[in-house]
């Protein structure tokens, strides 16, 4: 029996606008319409592939996978027991010399201590095809050139280089990787995408009915073929022979996966199929459940010395607890004081981790630990202060989304604290030295986390940012057309994640370090009287920077002065480059950038033409851009605001978001013309 699952992350994303219905139809249901099949032969190449000079679907590609084939079957070995065999066959067209390194191939496999605990590679074949004087020339891989190299203590890699490879060649290789169940019980995930385009990616698997796998489809490409049927399975042992099910999945013309802006990690976006073994059930012989429940996971955590055991260690924090308890009985104030104490006392070692390394007491004594050490310590202290506080397990953005339907402890790699005071909840991460209470670092903003309560059953909670990338920039200046100069004052206020980033970089540095950094962003300015307030006094407040500046335009001409009023914080390029996008956009945090400029003109000068006011709204109140210029007396007033309130956008909303940013860039590039009035 095999269970199909759709990634919970995808279900969430595609729930809106009925897109989930389309996705389910594309990925899960049988395809009933006729489709063109593709079944090449190993060792034979068609002339058209050799004559190809560029891939029609992507002219920039330096290579294209013509055929990517995988097939998994199961058998029984008298010495090793159940064995899973994976046949791999790859055919690649080399379009540019930059892709020649694809002829160097490595196949890693596990080598345990005993004969039964070893994978092995067999049936390795390889070919290089070229057109020479109009004839197809095939060069075969020589087995004697294959070498074995030890990768780690338990892994070895078979390496080989296909020869006679050059621009225009087609290379292919095939092999079988055999994996005893003592080494691996689940097929490796199969990805239908790569860093280069793939014309045909096919995955086949024949699963005996005594193996129950959960198969999870992920990604954003539709299946070209999705076929399954009942089959008879012969494994070589009467107890295992019987019925089974054959699956065939094909993705056609998959584009190269591009690591675009505003994604988490590529494995969250690659179209792929993953497996989890739920159970093995051979009547009268074997019955074993592998699949866990979240209750199992939570029980494991509670009984583990490195997690539940650490939550019971509080003696070393009693002195701190008593000191905070004397200061206030207010729960919110207690939470804030405890958070600030742990934040100041501990230094994060830069690692994530789901386990307390040497224990939270030792970490406390050393004043250094991983995120789990620090936030379990915070949880213990808050509980000692009679606050309702529990740890939350989550997966960082670089680790990937958590699939809520797959109960695996390995899905998580980070711990934060959750506090409930009255009807309000707070997410706390004391590993960030300069974050205010409740401001989680961007690495922790990854959808959902699993709350592990002191009593009762855990649950998933959504984790959304409480702040945005926020900054307000202001310029008050005099325009001196005759001198070709602008003189004035500049100020910027950093809030939210902008403030956290600023403090992380400059809070402990001398002011001149930021002065140099500011100078790089506005190299044409002459900066004087730089002043910085609230570097690290109050993390809830903004960081405020001010200075005087002068700007000289050497190309200014008498009577006419050109200048761009967005003199700081200008959007100079669109962060979204691709024409189209099939992946969701995940900004992590919202955006709130504002600019206010007041420019005083001398007598006898005026703005030649008033720019049109621009207001652009994203659908569903997702964001707003406004730009306005007006003249009041001899003062030109400029206001620009870029605000994006939503943090996640669907692929079908990409065009709107890209156009939104493009209009910001265009408007911010628009100069103003100041002219002397004619008498």
């Amino acid at each position: 029996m095999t269970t199909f699952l759709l990634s919970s992350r995808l279900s969430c994303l595609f729930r809106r606008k009925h897109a989930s219905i389309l996705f389910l139809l594309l990925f899960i249901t049988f395809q009933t319409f006729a489709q063109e099949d593709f079944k090449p032969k190993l060792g034979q190449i068609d002339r058209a592939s050799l004559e190809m000079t560029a891939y029609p679907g992507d002219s920039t590609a330096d290579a294209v996978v013509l055929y990517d084939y995988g097939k998994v079957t199961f058998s029984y070995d008298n010495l090793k027991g159940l064995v899973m065999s994976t046949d791999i066959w790859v055919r690649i067209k080399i379009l540019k010399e930059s892709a020649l390194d694809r002829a160097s191939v490595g196949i890693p496999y596990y080598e345990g201590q005993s004969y039964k605990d070893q994978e092995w590679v067999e049936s390795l074949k390889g070919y290089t095809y070229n057109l020479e004087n109009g004839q197809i020339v095939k060069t075969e891989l020589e087995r004697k050139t294959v070498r074995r190299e030890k990768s780690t203590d338990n892994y070895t890699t078979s390496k080989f280089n296909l020869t006679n490879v050059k621009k225009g060649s087609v290379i292919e290789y095939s092999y079988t990787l055999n994996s005893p169940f003592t080494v691996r019980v689940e097929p490796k995930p199969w990805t239908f995408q790569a860093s280069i385009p793939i014309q045909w990616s096919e995955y086949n698997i024949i699963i005996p009915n005594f193996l129950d796998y959960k198969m999870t489809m992920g990604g954003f490409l539709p299946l070209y073929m999705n076929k399954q049927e009942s089959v008879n399975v012969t494994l070589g042992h009467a107890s295992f022979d019987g019925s089974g099910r054959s699956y065939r999945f094909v993705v056609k013309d998959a584009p190269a996966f591009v690591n675009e802006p505003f994604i988490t990690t590529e494995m969250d976006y690659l179209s792929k199929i993953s497996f989890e073994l739920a159970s093995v059930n051979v009547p009268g012989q074997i019955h074993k459940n592998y699949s866990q429940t979240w209750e199992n996971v939570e029980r494991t955590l509670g009984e583990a010395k490195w997690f539940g055991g650490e939550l019971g260690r509080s003696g070393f924090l009693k002195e701190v607890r008593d000191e905070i308890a004397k200061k206030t009985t207010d729960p919110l104030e207690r939470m804030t004081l405890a958070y600030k104490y742990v934040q100041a006392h501990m230094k994060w070692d830069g690692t994530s981790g789901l386990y307390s390394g040497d224990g939270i007491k030792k970490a406390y004594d050393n004043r250094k630990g991983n995120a789990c050490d620090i936030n379990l310590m915070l949880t213990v202290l808050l509980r000692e202060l009679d606050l309702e506080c529990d740890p939350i397990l989550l997966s960082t953005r670089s680790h990937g989304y958590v699939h809520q339907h797959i109960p695996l402890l390995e899905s998580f790699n980070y711990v934060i604290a959750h506090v409930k005071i009255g009807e309000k909840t707070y997410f706390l991460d004391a590993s960030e030295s300069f974050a205010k209470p409740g401001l989680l670092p961007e690495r922790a903003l990854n959808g959902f986390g699993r709350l592990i309560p002191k009593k009762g059953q855990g649950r998933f909670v959504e984790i959304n940012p409480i702040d945005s990338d926020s900054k307000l920039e202001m310029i008050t200046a005099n325009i001196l057309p005759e001198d070709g100069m602008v003189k004035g004052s500049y100020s910027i206020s950093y809030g939210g994640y902008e403030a956290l980033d600023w403090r992380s970089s400059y809070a402990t540095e001398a002011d001149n370090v930021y002065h140099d950094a500011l100078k790089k962003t506005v190299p044409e300015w002459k900066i004087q009287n730089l002043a910085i307030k609230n570097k690290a006094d109050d993390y809830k407040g903004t960081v405020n920077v001010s200075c005087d500046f002068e700007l000289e335009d050497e190309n200014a001409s008498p009577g006419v002065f050109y200048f761009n009023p967005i003199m700081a914080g200008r959007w100079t390029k669109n962060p979204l480059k691709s024409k189209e996008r099939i992946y969701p956009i995940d900004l992590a945090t919202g955006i709130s950038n504002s600019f206010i400029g007041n420019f005083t003109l001398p007598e006898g000068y005026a703005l030649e033409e008033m720019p049109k006011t621009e207001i652009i709204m994203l659908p569903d109140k997702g964001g707003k851009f406004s730009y306005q210029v007006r003249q009041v007396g001899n003062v030109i007033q400029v206001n620009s605001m870029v605000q994006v309130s939503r943090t996640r956008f669907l692929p079908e909303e990409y065009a709107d978001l890209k156009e939104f940013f493009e209009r910001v860039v265009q408007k911010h590039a628009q100069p103003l013309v100041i002219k002397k009035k004619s008498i």
Side-chain angles (χ1 to χ4, degrees):
M1 183 176 69
T2 304
T3 307
F4 263 114
L5 296 170
L6 179 68
S7 160
S8 61
R9 170 61 179 164
L10 299 181
S11 296
C12 176
L13 284 169
F14 281 81
R15 194 173 295 133
R16 299 177 59 221
K17 300 184 180 178
H18 307 288
S20 59
I21 299 174
L22 173 63
F23 188 83
L24 286 167
L25 287 172
L26 288 171
F27 273 83
I28 305 304
T29 60
F30 297 117
Q31 308 247 358
T32 57
F33 50 88
Q35 294 165 315
E36 181 183 354
D37 209 341
F38 181 54
K39 293 184 177 180
K41 292 184 178 181
L42 181 67
Q44 297 182 20
I45 193 64
D46 60 292
R47 182 173 289 271
S49 295
L50 285 170
E51 292 176 343
M52 180 193 301
T53 57
Y55 179 54
D58 183 357
S59 60
T60 66
D62 64 358
V64 56
V65 178
L66 303 175
Y67 192 59
D68 189 25
Y69 175 88
K71 183 176 182 179
V72 174
T73 56
F74 298 87
S75 62
Y76 183 83
D77 183 275
N78 289 330
L79 295 176
K80 296 192 175 187
L82 276 175
V83 176
M84 176 171 56
S85 298
T86 305
D87 298 331
I88 299 294
W89 176 10
V90 181
R91 179 178 286 179
I92 303 174
K93 169 69 178 186
I94 305 297
L95 296 168
K96 300 178 183 178
E97 291 184 354
S98 56
L100 292 178
D101 59 351
R102 293 187 179 272
S104 298
V105 183
I107 307 169
Y109 55 94
Y110 185 86
E111 282 195 322
Q113 300 301 314
S114 69
Y115 175 75
K116 292 183 178 181
D117 298 332
Q118 293 184 352
E119 292 181 306
W120 73 97
V121 176
E122 63 183 11
S123 303
L124 175 62
K125 297 178 181 178
Y127 305 96
T128 302
Y129 305 94
N130 288 294
L131 267 181
E132 297 179 6
N133 299 320
Q135 301 297 314
I136 297 176
V137 177
K138 180 170 71 173
T139 305
E140 190 170 349
L141 172 68
E142 295 184 16
R143 289 299 304 272
K144 65 181 181 181
T145 63
V146 180
R147 61 194 186 279
R148 297 169 69 250
E149 293 183 5
K150 199 74 174 174
S151 307
T152 66
D153 290 342
N154 293 318
Y155 275 88
T156 297
T157 301
S158 284
K159 293 186 176 182
F160 60 90
N161 293 312
L162 296 166
T163 57
N164 199 25
V165 180
K166 51 194 172 184
K167 177 181 175 182
S169 299
V170 172
I171 60 175
E172 72 174 343
Y173 55 88
S174 67
Y175 62 90
T176 299
L177 175 65
N178 298 294
S179 308
F181 259 48
T182 54
V183 175
R184 189 187 310 278
V185 298
E186 296 162 349
K188 293 180 180 180
W190 179 266
T191 57
F192 296 96
Q193 282 181 281
S195 58
I196 57 176
I198 302 179
Q199 281 192 329
W200 187 279
S201 181
E202 176 173 337
Y203 186 76
N204 297 263
I205 185 169
I206 299 175
I207 304 176
N209 280 347
F210 65 83
L211 296 176
D212 182 11
Y213 282 106
K214 294 178 182 178
M215 290 197 286
T216 303
M217 305 296 297
F220 300 88
L221 296 178
L223 286 172
Y224 179 71
M225 287 187 178
N226 181 1
K227 297 179 179 180
Q228 55 177 294
E229 60 180 348
S230 296
V231 294
N232 291 322
V233 180
T234 302
L235 278 75
H237 192 290
S239 299
F240 300 108
D241 295 344
S243 59
R245 200 149 191 87
S246 173
Y247 299 86
R248 186 186 184 200
F249 306 105
V250 175
V251 169
K252 189 171 179 284
D253 298 324
F257 180 82
V258 179
N259 201 340
E260 299 186 71
F262 307 128
I263 69 171
T264 50
T265 180
E266 66 178 38
M267 288 307 293
D268 285 333
Y269 297 84
L270 283 170
S271 289
K272 62 184 182 297
I273 181 168
S274 304
F275 298 84
E276 182 198 3
L277 182 60
S279 66
V280 178
N281 187 11
V282 180
Q285 291 195 35
I286 305 172
H287 181 75
K288 185 174 182 179
N289 288 320
Y290 289 86
S291 185
Q292 298 189 80
T293 64
W294 286 118
E295 288 77 11
N296 297 148
V297 173
E298 289 158 17
R299 190 180 308 114
T300 299
L301 283 170
E303 295 171 353
K305 292 181 179 179
W306 42 263
F307 196 91
E310 294 297 327
L311 288 171
R313 304 184 67 186
S314 60
F316 67 99
L317 290 170
K318 288 184 178 179
E319 186 176 333
V320 179
R321 175 204 65 189
D322 293 343
E323 185 178 335
I324 293 174
K326 287 178 184 177
K327 291 181 179 179
T328 180
T329 58
D330 180 79
L332 183 59
E333 290 180 359
R334 284 188 169 191
M335 182 194 79
T336 302
L337 289 172
Y339 172 83
K340 287 183 175 180
Y341 176 81
V342 175
Q343 183 184 45
H345 182 84
M346 297 298 297
K347 182 179 180 181
W348 181 43
D349 65 8
T351 62
S352 300
L354 196 60
Y355 315 96
S356 176
D358 294 321
I360 61 174
K361 183 183 184 305
K362 188 169 183 179
Y364 180 83
D365 293 338
N366 294 334
R367 304 192 64 159
K368 188 176 183 180
N370 63 26
C372 182
D373 288 321
I374 294 171
N375 290 319
L376 286 186
M377 186 186 304
L378 175 62
T379 301
V380 171
L381 179 56
L382 290 169
R383 285 179 174 179
E384 285 290 301
L385 289 164
D386 299 323
L387 293 175
E388 185 180 337
C389 181
D390 297 300
I392 288 181
L393 310 183
L394 55 82
S395 174
T396 57
R397 292 174 67 83
S398 62
H399 189 253
Y401 290 119
V402 172
H403 300 300
Q404 298 181 30
H405 57 269
I406 304 178
L408 289 175
L409 194 58
E410 292 79 7
S411 298
F412 306 102
N413 73 325
Y414 204 78
V415 180
I416 61 173
H418 174 276
V419 180
K420 185 175 182 182
I421 300 176
E423 296 302 314
K424 279 196 168 186
T425 58
Y426 301 86
F427 299 115
L428 302 178
D429 183 354
S431 70
E432 277 293 335
S433 299
F434 301 103
K436 65 183 180 182
L439 185 73
L440 295 179
E442 284 192 26
R443 61 179 174 272
L445 301 176
N446 199 24
F448 289 83
R450 183 79 180 180
L451 179 69
I452 311 297
K454 193 172 185 179
K455 293 182 179 179
Q457 185 176 337
R459 70 181 191 276
F460 279 100
V461 292
E462 188 170 10
I463 299 173
N464 291 311
I466 63 170
D467 281 280
S468 61
D469 282 331
S470 176
K471 61 182 179 181
L472 168 62
E473 295 176 90
M474 300 179 66
I475 285 180
T476 301
N478 292 311
I479 306 294
L480 306 173
E482 298 297 335
D483 300 325
M485 297 188 70
V486 180
K487 293 183 178 181
S489 62
Y490 165 73
S491 66
I492 180 169
S493 295
Y494 295 100
Y497 286 93
E498 289 280 2
L500 176 58
D501 291 344
W502 190 97
R503 289 183 172 117
S504 298
S505 299
Y506 305 110
T508 59
E509 302 286 350
D511 289 359
N512 66 293
V513 175
Y514 177 70
H515 178 281
D516 294 341
L518 177 61
K519 182 65 179 172
K520 289 180 180 179
T521 64
V522 282
E524 66 277 12
W525 286 14
K526 180 181 178 182
I527 298 173
Q528 296 177 323
N529 304 322
L530 180 73
I532 304 174
K533 295 181 180 179
N534 195 24
K535 290 177 77 170
D537 300 325
D538 177 15
Y539 297 157
K540 292 183 180 180
T542 59
V543 177
N544 301 305
V545 180
S546 62
C547 68
D548 296 326
F549 74 94
E550 291 183 5
L551 166 64
E552 183 174 2
D553 184 358
E554 297 177 353
N555 298 316
S557 57
V560 180
F561 187 77
Y562 296 85
F563 83 107
N564 189 318
I566 311 295
M567 301 181 71
R570 186 186 310 158
W571 286 59
T572 58
K573 57 184 178 181
N574 191 334
L576 302 177
K577 302 295 185 185
S578 302
K579 291 182 180 179
E580 297 177 345
R581 180 156 165 162
I582 61 174
Y583 318 116
I585 300 94
D586 188 331
L587 302 178
T589 68
I591 300 171
S592 180
N593 295 171
S594 296
F595 175 87
I596 299 173
N598 290 283
F599 303 94
T600 301
L601 302 180
E603 292 296 329
Y605 282 84
L607 187 61
E608 181 184 45
E609 183 180 354
M610 188 68 65
K612 291 182 180 179
T613 297
E614 183 123 24
I615 299 177
I616 303 170
M617 307 288 291
L618 283 170
D620 298 330
K621 298 180 180 180
K624 178 181 180 180
F625 168 56
S626 63
Y627 180 90
Q628 182 182 42
V629 178
R630 63 177 182 169
Q631 185 168 347
V632 180
N634 66 334
V635 177
I636 298 173
Q637 299 177 343
V638 181
N639 290 273
S640 171
M641 181 191 70
V642 181
Q643 186 172 27
V644 181
S645 52
R646 281 173 50 199
T647 61
R648 298 183 180 95
F649 294 83
L650 295 173
E652 54 264 37
E653 298 173 298
Y654 176 76
D656 289 335
L657 189 61
K658 183 182 179 184
E659 176 63 19
F660 176 85
F661 289 140
E662 192 62 36
R663 296 289 286 274
V664 175
V665 172
Q666 291 174 2
K667 208 65 181 176
H668 279 198
Q670 187 174 5
L672 299 182
V673 182
I674 309 299
K675 277 193 173 182
K676 195 170 187 177
K677 300 176 184 177
S678 57
I679 299 175

